[in-house]
DNA sequence: GTCAGTCGATACTCAACAGTATCCGATACG
DNA sequence: CGTATCGGATACTGTTGAGTATCGACTGAC
């Protein structure tokens, strides 16, 4: 059962890992492994800076597997964007959900969670910025990335409205603008934190969000009128 | 896209433009032209995606000029970072300077200016993000980009403190954190605006800044209601 | 057990590009 | 003028990497 790897080629090592020895891995597993490897390698070296050989080798396969599964490098990138942007959306929503407190406290907690998530997923965040760049450069308005971002924005907006209603407190600006602000702040602070961690305290984002949200036109935290 | 030019090689066209025909352009002019072309081409195609031939051709020269002036592609990128990051710093400081009003109003104006600047300099902003990426990936703590960013942060912090003193109003958080916040917000909102302009109203940044700054612990101006 | 189809490995092609060596003409200086 | 130097053009090299053609082994169906 031990994965003896003395001098046998990569694809056999991979097969040992994924299933029993000499068994061909299921297609979905290969796909997954390649996508995960692509996320790692692209994040570290940049999409343009990484070759398909690099990606495939990291997954324990060869380029052939990539072409068989994704058709081209561009196809791999598109699949990756699809795959990982969904994960991002889920993470954001999860952070907003099932909180039960005043708006300001919720905002604080949300900020802390997003900051922590950004730290843990530094690599993925780098990849995210690169996908964003590609989407902006290719002014195709129907890219997967744009769609996903729009969905995230809509979901966050809805969550904001819901939270505001539940808390019975008005928001300081339209929910949709707050959603934009949240996303911008999350990305912007993550950037600053990556390049100069000492300038971005752990709780900064939470404090700012609490400040903004707690300053509603109809109901601040202390002056409920 | 050939202009009216018939068949004369590029370097002669360039010489015609910069000085009289057949006159060799001054070294500094060549350098400038190459840097400007690099900013344009890199912003549009990405640094990795653009070849030195592309850059040189855009400036009306050939690759030889690049190697003669910058030694390597990496050298060109470094010089570009040096050149353009200074410009960015100046723009930020200029936007903060010579304002004379309440803190909140100043914040509002500052936000508007930064937003407008981001719109006008979309290309440069894209390049900026790519330089940021490179700086983050190469964890060399002494890169020109990091240094420049640190200088900008320090300058903005100082400006914040000065403004706060002049206005006689306390800030809602340390000036240094406000500086971080300002930079993050500027970058983050610029990103959102590039990919989804309709989600980011012109005055959003100004309003948020005013909201934050107007909510000082010791002196909110009138407390918005 | 046999056979067809599939999937990934392997070995290529071909183009693009960073970098280099050399050349040539304009400028600067005697 | 004549000559040396300098800076950019031109032609070349080597390498890298995307994409392709083919091959062989595993799988699943009967």
């Amino acid at each position: 059962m031990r994965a003896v790897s003395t001098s046998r080629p990569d694809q056999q090592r991979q097969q040992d890992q994924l299933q029993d020895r000499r068994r061909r891995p299921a297609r979905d597993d290969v796909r997954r492994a390649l996508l995960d490897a692509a996320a790692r390698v692209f994040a570290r070296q940049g999409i343009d800076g990484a070759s398909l050989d690099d990606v495939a080798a990291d997954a324990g396969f060869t380029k052939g597997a990539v072409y068989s599964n994704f058709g081209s490098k561009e196809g791999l990138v598109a699949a990756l964007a699809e795959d990982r942007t969904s994960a991002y959306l889920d993470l954001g929503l999860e952070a907003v959900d099932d909180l039960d407190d005043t708006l300001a406290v919720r905002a604080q907690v949300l900020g802390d969670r997003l900051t922590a998530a950004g730290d843990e997923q530094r690599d993925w965040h780098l990849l995210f910025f690169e996908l964003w760049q590609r989407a902006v450069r290719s002014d195709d308005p129907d890219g997967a990335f744009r769609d996903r971002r729009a969905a995230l924005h809509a979901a966050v907006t809805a969550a904001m409205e819901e939270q505001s209603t539940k808390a019975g407190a008005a928001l300081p600006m339209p929910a949709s603008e707050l959603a934009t602000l949240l996303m911008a702040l999350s990305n912007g602070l993550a950037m600053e934190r990556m390049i100069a961690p000492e300038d971005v305290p752990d709780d900064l984002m939470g404090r700012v969000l609490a400040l903004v949200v707690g300053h509603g036109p109809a109901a601040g935290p202390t002056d409920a009128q």
Side-chain angles (χ1 to χ4, degrees), chain A:
Chain A
M1 339 278 157
R2 190 173 55 104
V4 262
S5 61
T6 55
S7 63
R8 293 183 5 245
D10 264 350
Q11 99 270 14
Q12 293 201 2
R13 289 216 334 266
Q14 178 64 32
Q15 287 171 7
D16 286 351
Q17 284 164 23
L18 290 180
Q19 300 193 7
D20 289 38
R21 48 189 307 134
R22 301 203 159 260
R23 190 81 177 279
R24 185 197 280 177
R27 185 129 239 248
D28 282 353
D29 292 343
V30 177
R31 224 187 122 86
R32 256 270 64 79
L34 286 173
L35 280 175
D36 291 345
R40 277 192 300 274
V41 175
F42 284 164
R44 207 171 311 129
Q45 310 182 26
I47 296 178
D48 287 328
S51 72
L52 290 186
D53 283 325
D54 292 340
V55 172
D58 187 276
F61 294 97
T62 64
K63 217 170 30 167
V66 175
Y67 280 95
S68 170
N69 280 278
F70 302 100
S72 69
K73 186 175 189 179
E74 197 47 44
L76 174 61
V77 171
L80 186 61
E82 189 70 22
D83 183 61
R84 298 308 251 234
T85 317
S86 307
Y88 190 56
L89 189 149
D90 292 345
L91 188 140
L93 290 186
E94 183 186 313
V96 170
D97 245 5
D98 67 31
L99 291 172
D100 210 10
D101 219 319
T102 69
L103 264 190
V105 171
R106 272 180 248 214
Q108 169 98 44
V109 172
L110 173 60
D112 290 351
R113 286 197 193 172
L114 287 180
T115 301
D119 284 358
E120 286 161 27
Q121 317 229 347
R122 181 189 151 112
D123 274 3
W124 154 241
H125 229 113
L126 267 161
L127 180 57
F128 173 82
F129 286 132
E130 205 162 347
L131 291 175
W132 168 84
Q133 264 182 332
R134 292 189 152 226
V136 168
R137 287 217 174 94
S138 88
D139 39 30
D140 168 18
D142 289 332
F145 190 88
R146 278 190 150 86
D147 290 351
R148 291 289 180 181
R149 200 215 72 103
L152 175 57
H153 187 266
V156 172
T157 301
M160 293 270 179
E161 269 159 358
E162 190 196 329
Q163 297 284 328
S164 155
T165 309
K166 266 206 265 177
L171 299 171
M173 62 186 75
S176 129
E177 292 181 14
L178 258 186
T180 301
L181 177 62
L182 177 64
M183 291 163 67
L185 211 52
S186 167
N187 287 329
L189 282 177
M191 282 181 64
E192 296 299 321
R193 222 170 136 84
M194 286 195 222
I195 203 155
E198 69 279 7
D199 282 346
V200 192
D202 291 353
D203 62 344
L204 180 57
M205 180 161 170
R207 269 159 42 219
V208 172
L209 286 181
L211 203 64
V212 169
V213 152
H215 198 286
T222 46
D223 68 302
Q225 43 127 201

